[in-house]
Amino acid sequence: MAFGVGLAIFCTLCFGLGDVIARRAMFHLSPAGILFITVPMTVVSLGAAVLLAEGPGAFSGHGLAFFGLAALMGFLAYVSGNVSYFHGMKRAGVTLAAPILGAGPLFGVLLAVTLGGERPGLLTIGGAFVIVAGVAVLVSDRERIAE
Amino acid sequence: MSRLAARAPRPSTVTAGILLAGLAACSFASAGYVASQLVGDGASGMVVAFYESLFGLALLFAVNMRALSRGAQPPRNGILWGLAAGVAYAFAIGAFYTSLERIPFSVAAPITGAVPLASYAFVLLLLRGSERITRRAALGAAMVVAGVAMVGVSA
């Protein structure tokens, strides 16, 4: 459990670093240009990690349903997700776009409730309201918008 | 007055950016939910992350084929920063899907809501002078993170 939480925290740090580096790359490249450099690098890095950690056998033995869902995830994460995010970052800056992306777990909780049948507690509902209020504070930042 | 109006920034551009970031948030959360159903079912988090990015790359190429065919050679600086971002994202996705093998999605997802805090820390290191963190932005980010923490604790 603790190792899993540690991995999620490590993931958070890497996403934060990746976002800022991608923003830095935007000084030289368009959002689409960055995608065509970052995504192949991500594929190569993950492929190398799987080869080293699990061997070539890990790539095979998966059914059609697995590949169908992986393709759906690829679309959600890279086509509608990354493309929207990089264009959003280009227009609003990383200091506005990143916190809005941070509200994504709220949508995840909604999915867990509607698709997974989970019942959220009072703290979850309160947290959801705080997230929405935080996003409202961000999007009404006149000083940032006026820059 | 007219010159001022001509030079004034367009809030609609920022609003469009905010909406796009919101769409991205929904997309990433949905992908994470699907991943939580796949991981551990005969495939490790790393393998799921690899195939997701492989399909994502193929779809990106398919969607942007025309733009690619007339694309100019990108500057070296941009390529290097882009490659570094790719490695950071690989670590992030691999770690997240591997964490789903050990903890539920409802616990892992809220933790990643703290990405804004990590981003702000790295902005101070790498984007000092080009991106500014206003008090209101910091307050909003802190509220988002606090809300995510509440959701995480309740999970």
Side-chain angles (χ1 to χ4, degrees), chain B residues 1-150:
Chain B
M1 181 69 188
S2 60
R3 185 185 290 176
L4 274 179
R7 283 185 181 180
R10 297 176 60 191
S12 60
T13 305
V14 178
T15 307
I18 288 166
L19 288 174
L20 285 166
L23 173 65
C26 294
S27 300
F28 286 130
S30 304
Y33 182 77
V34 177
S36 70
Q37 308 299 308
L38 267 185
V39 166
D41 196 19
S44 70
M46 294 293 282
V47 172
V48 172
F50 168 76
Y51 278 114
E52 177 201 52
S53 50
L54 188 65
F55 278 113
L57 181 64
L59 289 166
L60 273 176
F61 270 103
V63 169
N64 292 284
M65 192 60 85
R66 190 181 292 175
L68 273 178
S69 61
R70 54 182 157 77
Q73 176 72 23
R76 195 165 168 266
N77 252 357
I79 294 174
L80 291 176
W81 283 112
L83 290 175
V87 173
Y89 285 138
F91 274 113
I93 301 162
F96 183 60
Y97 289 172
T98 305
S99 78
L100 290 178
E101 293 173 24
R102 291 164 172 81
I103 54 176
F105 179 65
S106 56
V107 174
I111 294 171
T112 61
V115 165
L117 274 194
S119 294
Y120 279 18
F122 289 117
V123 160
L124 293 175
L125 287 174
L126 295 171
L127 291 175
R128 192 177 289 184
S130 53
E131 285 252 356
R132 201 160 63 85
I133 301 171
T134 63
R135 268 188 222 165
R136 208 178 164 99
L139 173 68
M143 286 174 75
V144 169
V145 172
V148 164
M150 286 168 71

Side-chain angles (χ1 to χ4, degrees), chain A residues 1-5 7-25 27-29 32 34-50 53-54 58-62 65-89 91-109 111-112 115-116 118 121-128 130-131 133-147, chain B residues 9-11 13-35 37-38 41-57 59-61 63-65 68 74-75 77-99 101-116 118-120 122-123 126-128 130-151 153-155:
Chain A
M1 183 84 171
F3 184 60
V5 171
L7 279 172
I9 292 171
F10 179 67
C11 152
T12 301
L13 288 173
C14 290
F15 264 128
L17 177 63
D19 283 352
V20 173
I21 295 175
R23 178 62 174 157
R24 182 92 199 198
F27 297 153
H28 311 280
L29 296 168
I34 292 168
L35 275 174
F36 285 109
I37 293 169
T38 57
V39 182
M41 191 63 193
T42 302
V43 174
V44 170
S45 304
L46 284 169
V50 171
E54 303 177 41
F59 293 106
S60 57
H62 308 293
F66 172 87
F67 288 113
L69 287 174
L72 174 66
M73 286 166 57
F75 174 80
L76 287 168
Y78 290 92
V79 181
S80 75
N82 263 345
V83 171
S84 304
Y85 185 49
F86 282 176
H87 280 281
M89 199 196 291
R91 285 165 176 79
V94 72
T95 51
L96 265 183
I100 291 166
L101 196 71
L106 180 62
F107 187 73
V109 170
L111 282 178
L115 299 179
E118 292 181 21
L122 269 181
L123 199 57
T124 305
I125 295 168
V130 174
I131 291 171
V135 171
V137 168
L138 276 168
V139 299
S140 60
D141 185 1
R142 288 170 189 273
E143 193 186 346
R144 178 75 178 81
I145 289 170
E147 278 178 8
Chain B
R10 297 176 60 191
T13 305
V14 178
T15 307
I18 288 166
L19 288 174
L20 285 166
L23 173 65
C26 294
S27 300
F28 286 130
S30 304
Y33 182 77
V34 177
Q37 308 299 308
L38 267 185
D41 196 19
S44 70
M46 294 293 282
V47 172
V48 172
F50 168 76
Y51 278 114
E52 177 201 52
S53 50
L54 188 65
F55 278 113
L57 181 64
L59 289 166
L60 273 176
F61 270 103
V63 169
N64 292 284
M65 192 60 85
L68 273 178
N77 252 357
I79 294 174
L80 291 176
W81 283 112
L83 290 175
V87 173
Y89 285 138
F91 274 113
I93 301 162
F96 183 60
Y97 289 172
T98 305
S99 78
E101 293 173 24
R102 291 164 172 81
I103 54 176
F105 179 65
S106 56
V107 174
I111 294 171
T112 61
V115 165
S119 294
Y120 279 18
F122 289 117
V123 160
L126 295 171
L127 291 175
R128 192 177 289 184
S130 53
E131 285 252 356
R132 201 160 63 85
I133 301 171
T134 63
R135 268 188 222 165
R136 208 178 164 99
L139 173 68
M143 286 174 75
V144 169
V145 172
V148 164
M150 286 168 71
V151 173
V153 167
S154 69

